[in-house]
Amino acid sequence: MSDTQVKKQESLEAYLTERRGQRRLLMPYVTAGVCPDWLELVDAVIDAGADAIEIGIPFSDPAIDGTTIQEATVVALEAGMTPARCLTELSQRQFGVPLIAMTHYNLVYRYGHERFADDLVAAGGWGTILPDLPMEHGADWTAIAAERGIENVLLAAPVTSDARLQRVADESGGFVYVVSTMGTTGARAGVDDAATVLATRVKSMTNKPAVVGFGISNGETAVTAAKAADGVIIASALMRRILEGQSVEEAASLVAEVRAALDEAYPAG
Amino acid sequence: MTDTSPAPVASPEHMGEPDELGFFGEFGGRYVGEPLIGACEEVEAAFVDAWGDPAFRDEFIHVLNTYGGRPSPTTECGNLSEQLGLRLLLKREDLNHTGSHKINNVIGQALLAKRMGKTRLIAETGAGQHGVATATAAALLGMSCTVYMGEVDMARQELNVFRMRLLGTEVVPAMSGSRTLKDAVNEAMRAWVSEVGDTHYCLGSVMGPHPYPWMVRTFHEIIGTEARQQVMDLTGGLPDVAVACVGGGSNAAGLFAGFADDPGVRLVGAEPAGGAAAGRGVPAIVHGMKSYFMQDEVGQILEAESISAGLDYPGLGPEHSHLAKTKRAEYFPVTDAEVLDAFQLLSRSEGIIPALESAHAIAWVTKAKDELKGQTVLVNMSGRGDKDVQQVQEILGEQA
Ligand SMILES: Cc1ncc(COP(=O)(O)O)c(C=O)c1O
């Protein structure tokens, strides 16, 4: 526990809703422990223009992840990263933007819902993304998290039916994570039109921010993906740079580039 | 059994239908990402519809009988019975086409996939038996097929890799993690996400997201249904114990289903000591289900280690976790050394070379022979050992 953390004054949803009025949202993803100076990487991507950060807590069987995040996961696990260590290290720093923990549900389940929620709050966490915890099974976690002001973000996929999408839109906390393509996480050359179609569907159902993830690799794909959405998530492309041995500054320059491209394409948010 | 043999018992008390969300007691569920929810719902709806359709069941049984070699016999093991001081019967799934019980599930799912309009099958495989069975069904039904297999397993089971290729299937190595069965499952699930339109994921055991544990068990119930009748015919009564090896648990589930509602029949699962999930009694959520898994204190899934690739899985199906928790079935670990002994013992005394997986069940019987004295013990011979003789030769050669 640390009291150096910025106290959160509002909900993740309110924070992101206010921000999206000014610019497209940019949420980079960093695997905890992907490099020894991963906390500096978090700082650097915040400086480069992030509105929130997703912190990936590495899991042994990352079935939803593509090859890059899998590699990042292996590196982080070999470096000894654990959920407790991740949250403790985060709690010792102060970050200017909300953190959102992204992981597979088993790690939260084993940690214990109450304890995970408490430690996440202490770490500066505002939300969780647990892609393998669909809403049917998520009531326990969502309720315990909500008591501590943690919002649980749900995912929407191109194949999600209208009826189900409406439930996702209603029940998602913070924002709606729009899965741009039918695949695992991973940088792609282009972003499917599916992203635009799905973001449009989501926005017709809710006022919550809709943020597109999966497959965003650079400024161009970010601008395309953000067309109908409130923002984008950039994960694999950023982790790829670190895995290739780039420095924190070099890797973070990708975020700056995407920030600039988004701001140029969408000057008024 | 004839082509029109009735379906297995509708709803046994202990192995009934899962609840609406796919739980057996507290185990099971559908813990998958949003892109796969629709696919699981589609499989569930198609399965419920097909299984309720007598024409589908007739076709299923017809293919199993005329192509798969069913019904498989039950064999009385005179020599070994005498040696062990009990009455040993084997349900001979090793005599099925492709050499194991796996064909039952695969024919069921391939027929279902066809009915759903899918043109392609994907599967994971450990020992290669499920991969070979899936490749076989794909060839039979004119579907294309890709099988994911851990790189380590591909080396251990080279012949099965070749068999699959011969059958026209593409075999893709799973290179992540321990490069064994659990990684092949991860890889297959990833592939399914991106190809869900025309592809059916033909999961090989009673595991994964709802409806797979239930559906795969249902396709294997024929093992228990046949065995129950055959044991009655041979002995005039029910067995005292029904034993099967447990990787994911499909051959065991099929056998157990025939006896779950017979309170006098003890149900025993033999797990590899290096992959014994039930004994540890700690649930995890992975591979789409909540079930017992080997894991470290923070919840990272551990790598199983077993002489048999087909049991090299750190968890087991959710219905088995439920049967373990409710104590309707018991699960015991056996070591690789005990398995090697059992492998040779059955070969020499009965002229039946078992799959290393099935040898686990025999190994438990030999270990427990004192408590089983005088009892009728039914073992599911889930597969034949052809695929394993080379590996065993290497091990025994080293020991000599
Ligand atoms: C002969 C044989 N028995 C058993 C198994 C284990 O599977 P399950 O536990 O699903 O029966 C396998 C898996 O490859 C097998 O080939």
Side-chain angles (χ1 to χ4, degrees):
Chain A
M1 286 267 177
S2 147
D3 43 30
T4 56
Q5 230 25 273
V6 191
K7 281 277 166 290
K8 76 198 263 287
Q9 305 289 342
E10 54 190 340
S11 71
L12 179 61
E13 183 185 332
Y15 167 91
L16 293 175
T17 303
E18 192 199 320
R19 281 241 172 173
R20 77 170 164 191
Q22 298 148 29
R23 60 186 190 176
R24 283 297 198 273
L25 303 170
L26 177 53
M27 300 189 195
Y29 164 99
V30 173
T31 301
V34 67
C35 50
D37 49 356
W38 71 278
L39 291 163
E40 277 72 47
L41 179 63
V42 174
D43 283 334
V45 296
I46 293 172
D47 290 345
D51 298 291
I53 306 282
E54 286 177 30
I55 302 291
I57 306 177
F59 179 55
S60 55
D61 289 72
I64 57 140
D65 289 316
T67 47
T68 301
I69 305 293
Q70 287 176 54
E71 269 178 57
T73 294
V74 170
V75 169
L77 288 174
E78 278 173 1
M81 186 49 64
T82 65
R85 193 174 138 196
C86 168
L87 296 178
T88 304
E89 289 186 21
L90 290 171
S91 73
Q92 287 156 358
R93 298 226 178 178
Q94 211 173 315
F95 301 100
V97 303
L99 305 182
I100 302 161
M102 180 160 182
T103 191
H104 288 65
Y105 174 57
N106 196 46
L107 295 183
V108 176
Y109 174 71
R110 301 283 350 142
Y111 205 100
H113 286 166
E114 280 88 357
R115 203 162 67 86
F116 188 85
D118 287 341
D119 289 357
L120 183 58
V121 168
W126 295 44
T128 51
I129 304 170
L130 305 170
D132 65 345
L133 184 66
M135 55 191 168
E136 287 82 355
H137 302 327
D140 277 4
W141 163 248
T142 306
I144 285 164
E147 284 166 16
R148 281 115 175 131
I150 298 280
E151 285 149 275
N152 187 48
V153 180
L154 297 178
L155 285 77
V159 286
T160 307
S161 68
D162 279 340
R164 190 175 171 89
L165 194 61
Q166 185 64 60
R167 267 191 74 195
V168 168
D170 292 344
E171 293 183 26
S172 189
F175 63 96
V176 178
Y177 192 129
V178 175
V179 177
S180 65
T181 177
M182 290 300 287
T184 52
T185 55
R188 289 174 178 78
V191 173
D192 293 359
D193 283 343
T196 303
V197 174
L198 181 56
T200 307
R201 286 172 67 207
V202 169
K203 290 193 69 77
S204 75
M205 294 180 178
T206 180
N207 262 328
K208 288 170 189 166
V211 182
V212 176
F214 286 32
I216 288 144
S217 54
N218 53 25
E220 195 187 330
T221 46
V223 167
T224 308
K227 193 157 55 169
D230 296 302
V232 297
I233 288 157
I234 182 159
S236 294
L238 181 61
M239 290 300 93
R240 173 56 51 205
R241 289 189 168 207
I242 295 292
L243 292 168
E244 281 170 358
Q246 289 193 16
S247 69
V248 157
E249 292 72 28
E250 287 167 315
S253 72
L254 172 65
V255 175
E257 181 192 316
V258 172
R259 175 82 272 160
L262 286 174
D263 290 349
E264 195 193 322
Y266 309 103
Chain B
M1 293 259 152
T2 67
D3 280 8
T4 53
S5 61
V9 203
S11 62
E13 183 191 339
H14 292 281
M15 296 183 75
E17 291 184 11
D19 71 17
E20 218 171 285
L21 293 178
F23 284 91
F24 302 92
E26 64 187 85
F27 304 98
R30 182 178 283 158
Y31 294 88
V32 294
E34 204 55 39
L36 283 182
I37 292 281
C40 291
E41 286 173 349
E42 187 189 357
V43 174
E44 182 189 352
F47 170 65
V48 169
D49 176 69
W51 202 244
D53 176 358
F56 179 84
R57 292 208 199 185
D58 284 351
E59 189 183 10
F60 173 59
I61 296 292
H62 179 75
V63 176
L64 285 183
N65 288 1
T66 61
Y67 181 77
R70 301 212 71 87
S72 70
T74 290
T75 300
E76 175 121 36
C77 295
N79 303 329
L80 199 47
S81 292
E82 205 175 301
Q83 268 185 62
L84 298 175
L86 44 82
R87 187 167 187 184
L88 181 67
L89 301 168
L90 301 183
K91 175 61 176 163
R92 301 294 304 280
E93 293 297 296
D94 58 318
L95 296 178
N96 293 343
H97 183 41
T98 74
S100 80
H101 69 291
K102 300 279 179 189
I103 196 78
N104 306 328
N105 168 46
V106 152
I107 293 294
Q109 286 200 49
L111 289 173
L112 186 70
K114 267 252 138 128
R115 189 178 161 108
M116 292 165 75
K118 307 284 178 181
T119 55
R120 189 160 167 269
L121 297 176
I122 57 171
E124 82 297 336
T125 196
Q129 289 306 94
H130 174 60
V132 168
T134 308
T136 300
L140 175 70
L141 298 180
M143 305 174 85
S144 68
C145 182
T146 301
V147 170
Y148 297 87
M149 187 169 187
E151 201 194 18
V152 169
D153 291 339
M154 285 180 72
R156 283 201 281 194
Q157 298 287 347
E158 246 179 75
L159 271 181
N160 270 344
V161 174
F162 181 67
R163 270 189 197 106
M164 287 184 266
R165 291 185 171 145
L166 207 55
L167 291 160
T169 279
E170 177 195 17
V171 184
V172 177
M175 311 287 286
S176 59
S178 54
R179 290 169 292 137
T180 61
L181 182 54
K182 83 178 171 88
D183 312 287
V185 175
N186 290 334
E187 216 50 69
M189 290 188 70
R190 288 182 192 113
W192 195 29
V193 174
S194 41
E195 297 151 13
V196 79
D198 63 350
T199 299
H200 174 72
Y201 179 18
C202 184
L203 232 164
S205 192
V206 285
M207 46 184 256
H210 179 56
Y212 282 96
W214 171 44
M215 174 172 74
V216 175
R217 182 253 284 167
T218 304
F219 288 141
H220 279 304
E221 278 175 13
I222 191 153
I223 301 172
T225 310
E226 284 178 7
R228 191 174 190 282
Q229 188 58 52
Q230 290 165 334
V231 174
M232 299 270 263
D233 292 346
L234 279 166
T235 71
L238 290 169
D240 296 297
V241 195
V243 191
C245 65
V246 176
S250 66
N251 87 88
L255 183 73
F256 291 178
F259 303 96
D261 283 341
D262 297 313
V265 181
R266 188 179 169 198
L267 306 176
V268 172
E271 288 194 287
R280 313 203 181 193
V282 191
I285 290 96
V286 69
H287 292 160
M289 61 182 164
K290 182 184 207 174
S291 197
Y292 291 138
F293 271 86
M294 289 167 52
Q295 53 189 318
D296 70 10
E297 63 287 350
V298 309
Q300 308 291 2
I301 305 305
L302 298 174
E303 293 170 9
E305 219 174 289
S306 164
I307 189 171
S308 79
L311 302 185
D312 223 342
Y313 187 68
L316 82 179
E319 192 168 26
H320 286 293
S321 294
H322 178 60
L323 290 170
K325 176 126 196 190
T326 57
K327 301 198 160 59
R328 177 60 189 96
E330 304 155 75
Y331 299 82
F332 298 102
V334 292
T335 66
D336 287 353
E338 290 162 348
V339 169
L340 273 174
D341 287 346
F343 182 86
Q344 296 169 82
L345 180 68
L346 189 69
S347 302
R348 280 193 203 136
S349 38
E350 297 295 338
I352 296 171
I353 301 176
L356 279 172
E357 290 79 12
S358 324
H360 283 68
I362 300 291
W364 178 77
V365 174
T366 59
K367 261 172 80 160
K369 65 175 192 297
D370 292 340
E371 60 176 286
L372 299 176
K373 200 144 222 77
Q375 297 190 2
T376 300
V377 179
L378 172 66
V379 168
N380 197 14
M381 192 47 38
S382 59
R384 63 176 96 118
D386 303 27
K387 67 182 175 55
D388 299 316
V389 288
Q390 194 181 357
Q391 186 194 348
V392 173
Q393 181 191 25
E394 279 163 22
I395 297 168
L396 295 180
E398 269 170 33
Q399 284 174 2

